[in-house]
Amino acid sequence: MTELRSAPVDDDSPSTQDTPHGPAPIAGLSAARRWFALIALAIGGFGIGVTEFVTMGLLPDIAQDLLPDDYALDPEGANATAGLLVSAYALGVVVGAPTIAALAARWSRKRLLIALVTVFVIGNALSALLPSFGFVLAARFASAVPHGAYFGIASLVAASLMGPGNRARGVSFVMGGLAIANVVGVPTGTFLGQAFGWRAAYLFVALIFAVALVAIILTVPFRPGDPTATLRGELSALKRSQVWLTLGVASIGFGGIFAVYTFIAPIVTEVAGLSAEFVPWILVLFGVGMTIGNFVSGWLTDRSVKRSLLVSICSIGIAVLGFALFASTVGGLIVFVFLVGLATGSCGPAIQTRLMDAARDAQSFAAALNHSALNVGNSLGAFLGGVVIAAGLGYLSPAWVGVGLSLIGLTFLLVSFALERRKPL
């Protein structure tokens, strides 16, 4: 475990202002306080991981309950329609992340985190309680609005807590909450949804966020907002070609993952021939891979951001290709679900760190944009996957869409590296 050292520097001093090379370290805190704060931030990431991914494992249950007439006539079509809940969540992230990050740039980061987690509690409670598909669709969109801003701000706070030379490991700690959610939280939510109805899963998520809210209030240190921050200054990140290229890698290359993962429940039952009881265990396997990939990526990114990015995007293409070829067998499903999870986890810290570097003075905005981009990939993958399934090409057809998306993402990355040789970040 990385040792956290502190120096007696006041939070209001100029030395605590972010620099183009990363968030300034938060000084004057004990090591124990820093780790408790990191854990609190990771609990929020854990809740986000559950609310984002639990829908996938319960799509047939949701479709059967909220779209009963459609499900009776065409289960595949109803499942594809229910997949819009995944797209709606992703679009909520895309809209909310840059909007909140830009407009709240002057807020203290702790105050903003508290506000965002409060919205998570309310949005997930509404997802559990609203009666119709249309209302639940709207609630999933609203629940997602704080997602990107939370991860962006929490990543900057975590990087400050860890200090110079360990930024990516701070980011990976927050993202680790999301990864661990896929080992523990998503399978638990899926089990609760299958046993007590899918609405129980969202109530479970609301409870997780309530715990995160209390933990953040008690442990995350206060830092004043930046009074010089302006909307124009935050939006200046969008003038940088490297920011756009990195967003392209995230939004298109990462879409290959969600073209597969959105429809994992029917793939397990209809393609591999396993019973529905195996779905939570397959999700655990995905989560184990994602957790390992996340923490390995944090370590690798602190040594070479470019190398870590290249490994991540190539891993996505290879894993999704293997899934397309072999997931029809139980052995192939097990192996390649794990590898898809490994590739998924490897992306977050590397992309987040590169965006922070590329954006220079607009790091809060860029850090939030990362999650907008990843959820463009989420929405794009889920939508295209639903299109090819609805066209009658089968539940494995989205994996081939995923292969194509990962190749496009790799192209963006290689163009970014070529430009960097001419003009460093």
Side-chain angles (χ1 to χ4, degrees), residues 125-197:
L126 289 175
S127 296
L129 299 174
L130 290 171
S132 68
F133 182 77
F135 280 124
V136 173
L137 190 71
R140 296 311 296 151
F141 177 88
S143 298
V145 169
H147 175 128
Y150 177 87
F151 269 129
I153 300 303
S155 293
L156 290 170
V157 172
S160 297
L161 288 164
M162 291 295 285
N166 295 307
R167 289 185 306 146
R169 271 178 279 185
V171 173
S172 72
F173 201 96
V174 176
M175 299 294 291
L178 186 150
I180 294 171
N182 285 276
V183 180
V184 180
V186 175
T188 300
T190 302
F191 170 78
L192 290 172
Q194 290 177 338
F196 302 105

Side-chain angles (χ1 to χ4, degrees), residues 158-420:
S160 297
L161 288 164
M162 291 295 285
N166 295 307
R167 289 185 306 146
R169 271 178 279 185
V171 173
S172 72
F173 201 96
V174 176
M175 299 294 291
L178 186 150
I180 294 171
N182 285 276
V183 180
V184 180
V186 175
T188 300
T190 302
F191 170 78
L192 290 172
Q194 290 177 338
F196 302 105
W198 61 269
R199 296 178 187 276
Y202 292 123
L203 288 175
F204 172 61
V205 175
L207 178 61
I208 294 170
F209 281 120
V211 172
L213 179 61
V214 173
I216 288 169
I217 291 171
L218 293 177
T219 66
V220 172
F222 173 80
R223 294 185 74 193
D226 180 2
T228 66
T230 64
L231 180 60
R232 177 179 295 180
E234 293 299 306
L235 294 177
S236 68
L238 299 179
K239 297 178 181 179
R240 302 180 183 277
S241 59
Q242 288 288 8
V243 168
W244 284 105
L245 288 168
T246 306
L247 292 174
V249 174
S251 60
I252 299 178
F254 202 70
I257 295 293
F258 284 95
V260 170
Y261 192 61
T262 299
F263 303 99
I264 193 66
I267 289 171
V268 171
T269 56
E270 303 299 324
V271 178
L274 298 172
S275 65
E277 287 75 16
F278 281 92
V279 173
W281 296 106
I282 294 297
L283 296 177
V284 167
L285 192 60
F286 177 89
V288 170
M290 188 175 178
T291 303
I292 294 172
N294 174 74
F295 288 109
V296 170
S297 177
W299 176 83
L300 182 59
T301 300
D302 276 327
R303 282 149 182 79
S304 173
V305 177
K306 291 173 65 176
R307 187 182 304 124
S308 183
L309 269 172
L310 187 60
V311 169
S312 297
I313 196 67
C314 290
S315 297
I316 289 176
I318 293 168
V320 174
L321 175 62
F323 190 94
L325 294 172
F326 301 111
S328 58
T329 67
V330 173
L333 176 67
I334 290 171
V335 169
F336 284 98
V337 160
F338 173 79
L339 292 178
V340 168
L342 192 72
T344 302
S346 71
C347 288
I351 293 175
Q352 186 84 79
T353 304
R354 185 166 179 87
L355 267 177
M356 287 160 57
D357 290 340
R360 297 182 67 79
D361 294 327
Q363 292 178 15
S364 295
F365 184 67
L369 279 177
N370 178 36
H371 297 278
S372 287
L374 293 177
N375 280 271
V376 167
N378 185 335
S379 182
L380 182 64
F383 172 74
L384 294 177
V387 167
V388 293
I389 289 173
L393 299 178
Y395 283 119
L396 283 182
S397 58
W400 292 104
V401 173
V403 173
L405 292 174
S406 66
L407 289 174
I408 296 172
L410 177 60
T411 301
F412 274 98
L413 184 61
L414 295 178
V415 171
S416 174
F417 289 169
L419 290 179
E420 187 178 355

